[in-house]
Coordinates of all heavy atoms in Angstrom, one line a residue:
D353 N 13.1 38.1 1.0 CA 14.5 38.3 0.6 C 14.7 38.5 -0.8 O 15.6 39.2 -1.3 CB 15.3 37.1 1.1 CG 14.9 36.6 2.5 OD1 14.8 37.5 3.3 OD2 14.7 35.4 2.7
A540 N -6.7 14.9 -29.0 CA -5.7 16.0 -28.8 C -5.9 16.7 -27.4 O -5.1 17.5 -27.0 CB -5.9 17.0 -29.9
D586 N -31.6 17.7 -4.5 CA -31.8 18.5 -3.3 C -30.5 18.9 -2.6 O -30.3 18.8 -1.4 CB -32.7 17.8 -2.3 CG -34.1 17.4 -2.9 OD1 -34.6 18.2 -3.7 OD2 -34.6 16.4 -2.6

Side-chain angles (χ1 to χ4, degrees):
D353 316 315
D586 302 327

